Structure formats: C-alpha cells, structure tokens
Amino acid sequence: MMKQLYDVIVVGAGSMGMSAGYELARRGMRTLLIDAFDPPHDKGSHHGEPRLIRHAYSGGPTYVKLALRADERWRELEQSTGEKLLERSGVLNVADPDIYKFDVRFDDAEEHGIRIESLDADEIRHRWPGIRVPDHYRAMYEPDAGYLYSEKCVSAYRRLAAEAGARILTNTPVTAIQAGTSFVTVSTKDVTYTASHVVLSAGAWFRSFASLIDAPIRAVRKVVGWFEPNGSAATGAYDAGTFPGFTFGDASGGYYGFPSIGGAGVKIGRHDGGRPWEPGEPFAPFGAYPEDETDLRLALEKFLPGAAGKLLRGVACKYELTPDDNFIIDTHPEHPNIVLAGGFSGHGFKFSSAIGELIADRIEFGRWGRDISIFSLDRFAEQGRLQAEARTRT
C-alpha cells in the first residue's frame, strides 16, 4: 500500500472541513482533504440552501463572538471570490413567552453592539401581514442577520483551497485512522496517507471512528420542504427582499425557515425531533414517512397560512447531535495532533468560516485563537460525574 506525507489531513470535507482545509493551505501547509462523497453534496448537512446566520445568539457570549467573527469571514470570502454568499434579509425570531424568553439575548446584543428590536404580536402582524401569531407572543428581530447560500459557500472554499495548493480527494471513504506519537496515518481502500496532524470533521459519520474517539454524537434524519404561497393575499408577501428569515418556537416545537428565493417557495424545517440514523444504514428520502410533509405543513398553517400551498420540493438531511446541543471542538484526549470538530447539532453551518480559522490556529500555533472551553470534549465526563453524584444522593 502506497504512503504519502502531508502536514495536515482533513477527514470529512463538508462545511467545517472545507473551511479548515482552505485556512490551512493558504498558510502554507501541505494539506489533504478526503471526503467519502464529492462536496458540496446531498449526503450530509450542508445541502438544500440556504442557512440562517444570526448574531444575537442563544448560548451566551462564546456563540455571539464566534457568530460575529464568522460574519466577518463570510464577507472576506465574498470579497475573495466575487460571489454573493450572504443576504441581509433580517431574521425574525418569534416565541411563546411561556416557553422561551429573549431577555438574555437582548442583553448579549447590547453588550456586543448588535442591532436588535423587540416586537409584540401587533407589530409582527403589521410589518409582515403574512404572519399569524397569538396576541401574547413576542419576537426579537435582528435586521443585520440573514442567510447564507450554503452550497455556494462550500464550493467557494473548495475552489480557494485548491488554488492555495490543497489536494482534495473525493468519493474516497476513509477506512482507518491510526494515531502515533508524532504522526497519524489515514487509510483508504488503496492508499495510506501520513500527516503530522489530522482534523476529524466527519459530520454524521463521526461514529464510524468510534475506535479512535468515542464522542457522544448521534445522527438523526431531518427534513425540510419548500411550499408555494397560495391565494392573492399571499402574492409577494413571502418573497425574498420583503420577508425575513424566521424561527418560531412554542409547545409544539421549534421551526425555522426562509422567504421564497427566486420563486422557489417558502422553505421550512423543524429543528427538534428527527429519526435516528447510523452510518451504513439506508437513508430514507423525503416523503418516506407521512410526517415529513404534514409536520411542516401544520407549522405553516399555524404561523404562515398564506405559505401553506403546494409542496414544491422536499429533501432529507442529517443532524449530528451532542447531548447538550453544543459543538465539540477540541483535541483528542490522548493525541493532541488530532483535532476533533463535530456535533454541530443542526446550527453549526453559520459558524464554519470562523471554525476553520480556529482549527488552523490550533494546528499552526498550538493554541486556540479564542476561549472555546464550552466546546471541550471533557465536559461530558464532568456532566456524567455530576449526574452520578446526584443519583447517589437520591
């Protein structure tokens, strides 16, 4: 079996891996990216454009600062490529205050200079007549937020990574990763590659590498659909340029979506729920289960009734969830030359531009460029210890 030597091998070249690969290559490192498919593709989490980007983020200052840096990096990517990747549509977050309140996010926004508006139900309905909400609902509107064209972003990073000298190996599953003291070997069917560092960003396939790192990441099947606005009252009401990106949350669940872009229809997905999936299992397409369409349609009928027309398109994708929905960005507990980036729990894409930079900083300088301790792998061991102590006390 042939062997080839690199400074860094990135295993999994989706949104996180492709961003990291570009950052590493442009810093002069001999970089190999390996993916089981051909990014951008429809086998993971980054397809089915677009993706929301917000700054007044739940989860506290670490997320807020990372979102702001990611926004800067997306603008730099636009400048480097000359492509339009980010739309400032505004994002409207609507919630039943008995379930969720925006108070902490307003405080974080003020601290970090993020423009934000607090709206009651009357103001919501007045500004966007296509929305229907109960009188006691409240909203947080962020005018400078918007959405990213995810597949274009991955393609842009892929092109720039190749121009910077990275080698991108597609349709090539990794069969094994073996860690040594100074080097890591990555094996495919025909070739073994060796590098000083490895980035493992395998998305929903993280559990395929459980013999290397048994991270608490589980994959679930998720669906999104595009629906045609119906009736004369809906004409233009949900179009891009008029209607914002949105989230809705109440006792029935959490939903997110986008205006109709170029007549594609209103896109909506559900953030919670999903059917478990394991690498190697068949993956059911959209429509395989009755709830694929009905769950999304019910949410539209409740919140955006004028958008609950004909289903134009539906796709199934994968979330890779951690127990607390926070990311895992850390080094391997026994092999610091292996960087782990996974568990992005359905809300990671917007951060991928900044996460690629973080990973490159860690490999080049031996340290993270910012405090990301909330993403450490060992937090799960601590949580397990606390839970065990609680059970003992009871």
Side-chain angles (χ1 to χ4, degrees):
M1 186 175 284
M2 296 174 58
K3 291 187 178 182
Q4 298 186 34
L5 181 63
Y6 291 87
D7 294 322
V8 188
I9 299 173
V10 179
V11 178
S15 53
M16 305 299 166
M18 200 67 80
S19 171
Y22 161 65
E23 287 288 340
L24 292 160
R26 79 180 186 90
R27 299 183 190 197
M29 293 182 227
R30 292 168 297 172
T31 303
L32 172 65
L33 296 100
I34 308 178
D35 199 273
F37 307 103
D38 191 3
H41 54 71
D42 62 358
K43 303 297 190 294
S45 305
H46 63 253
H47 67 289
E49 294 177 327
R51 294 292 189 277
L52 292 176
I53 179 167
R54 297 168 286 163
H55 311 109
Y57 211 74
S58 59
T62 299
Y63 276 109
V64 174
K65 293 175 183 177
L66 196 62
L68 290 170
R69 179 55 181 161
D71 194 289
E72 294 175 354
R73 298 293 289 158
W74 290 124
R75 282 180 277 143
E76 290 173 11
L77 184 62
E78 284 187 319
Q79 292 168 3
S80 297
T81 61
E83 291 189 65
K84 183 66 174 175
L85 303 173
L86 169 59
E87 298 283 0
R88 304 283 182 191
S89 65
V91 174
L92 179 72
N93 304 273
V94 181
D96 178 348
D98 294 333
I99 303 297
Y100 181 83
K101 290 183 172 61
F102 296 107
D103 298 8
V104 174
R105 291 167 71 178
F106 280 118
D107 292 342
D108 286 339
E110 182 177 2
E111 180 181 347
H112 294 90
I114 300 168
R115 289 202 302 155
I116 214 83
E117 299 176 35
S118 177
L119 305 176
D120 62 23
D122 284 338
E123 291 169 314
I124 297 168
R125 293 186 292 246
H126 175 72
R127 292 176 65 167
W128 298 283
I131 298 177
R132 181 171 66 194
V133 291
D135 289 342
H136 70 288
Y137 277 38
R138 295 293 182 268
M140 180 186 75
Y141 178 61
E142 188 178 340
D144 297 324
Y147 51 85
L148 294 153
Y149 297 112
S150 56
E151 293 168 52
K152 289 183 180 179
C153 292
V154 173
S155 293
Y157 271 133
R158 176 174 176 168
R159 186 169 65 255
L160 291 182
E163 290 174 359
R167 181 184 177 191
I168 302 170
L169 195 61
T170 61
N171 299 310
T172 306
V174 168
T175 57
I177 301 174
Q178 293 181 308
T181 305
S182 302
F183 294 95
V184 183
T185 58
V186 176
S187 298
T188 65
K189 179 182 177 182
D190 300 314
V191 183
T192 293
Y193 303 92
T194 302
S196 301
H197 294 84
V198 161
V199 177
L200 181 57
S201 52
W205 280 263
F206 229 93
R207 288 181 62 84
S208 300
F209 301 97
S211 60
L212 174 71
I213 181 67
D214 190 15
I217 295 173
R218 63 185 179 91
V220 298
R221 175 186 177 273
K222 304 290 294 181
V223 297
V224 295
W226 286 257
F227 291 79
E228 183 178 39
N230 55 17
S232 59
T235 302
Y238 302 103
D239 286 353
T242 300
F243 202 72
F246 60 86
T247 68
F248 291 97
D250 65 6
S252 68
Y255 295 85
Y256 65 93
F258 307 83
S260 178
I261 302 169
V266 172
K267 177 185 174 182
I268 185 169
R270 182 169 182 172
H271 184 63
D272 56 322
R275 288 177 175 261
W277 177 82
E278 290 286 340
E281 291 182 349
F283 189 72
F286 184 95
Y289 307 102
E291 66 268 23
D292 286 355
E293 179 178 349
T294 58
D295 201 29
L296 303 179
R297 184 175 292 281
L298 287 172
L300 287 176
E301 290 172 348
K302 183 176 185 179
F303 296 114
L304 307 176
K310 176 184 176 182
L311 174 69
L312 299 175
R313 179 188 173 205
V315 301
C317 60
K318 304 174 184 73
Y319 274 17
E320 26 152 345
L321 302 173
T322 65
D324 59 8
D325 286 341
N326 289 323
F327 311 152
I328 295 173
I329 308 174
D330 204 349
T331 54
H332 191 287
E334 298 174 7
H335 308 287
N337 56 347
I338 298 178
V339 175
L340 310 172
F344 291 101
S345 302
H347 65 115
F349 185 89
K350 64 183 70 65
F351 298 100
S352 57
S353 58
I355 290 172
E357 181 181 49
L358 274 172
I359 292 169
D361 284 347
R362 181 64 179 80
I363 291 173
E364 183 177 16
F365 305 118
R367 53 179 170 74
W368 303 108
R370 62 179 66 239
D371 179 11
I372 56 167
S373 55
I374 67 169
F375 304 140
S376 67
L377 183 61
D378 62 9
R379 73 184 188 270
F380 298 108
E382 177 65 13
Q383 290 169 8
R385 184 185 65 79
L386 293 174
Q387 291 169 358
E389 289 179 356
R391 288 193 294 270
T392 300
R393 289 194 296 271
T394 57

